[in-house]
Amino acid sequence: MNIKLLAIGKTDNKALQSLIDDYTKRLSFYIKFELEIIPDLKNAKNLSQLQQKEKEGELILSKITASEQMILLDENGKSFSSVAFSDELQKKMNAGIKTLVFVIGGPYGFSEAVYAKASGKISLSAMTFSHQMVRLFFIEQVYRAFTILRGEPYHHN
């Protein structure tokens, strides 16, 4: 299985980007992982929240192929412990899914069209984090999930 993380806007914090790069490299030992950045919308400040969600939604959906399964990182999604998330990834691999795409939306969330195409939603926390930090937290959790599945000592119960 391949895992792709789609995110809106670049990470401008060098320290965060360094950590994202570190966990992306670590993850490459377990699975094919790709972080794809969709550039911020130009003149977003001239758009309403709805227009911004719609335009971002079009860009997100243009990056998803029919054979890929899309899961949204959404505050109203299902919460998992790290062990339960690793179990969920194992189920997806066992189901023969070739590419699992997780998506971090823009500042106002997702358009209705994106919600309609998604096969699920997960929440990393009930707390609110910056979109840049969510990238790091999510990639670290995917890495942690694979260390759990391999019985490695990174995760302590």
Side-chain angles (χ1 to χ4, degrees), residues 95-136:
I97 295 168
K98 287 196 183 336
T99 302
L100 191 55
V101 182
F102 292 92
V103 185
I104 301 170
Y108 303 114
F110 299 104
S111 68
E112 290 305 316
V114 172
Y115 279 119
K117 292 272 187 192
S119 62
K121 299 183 295 187
I122 65 169
S123 172
L124 292 181
S125 173
M127 294 179 183
T128 302
F129 301 114
S130 76
H131 284 68
Q132 294 180 26
M133 292 177 79
V134 168
R135 295 168 197 187
L136 172 61

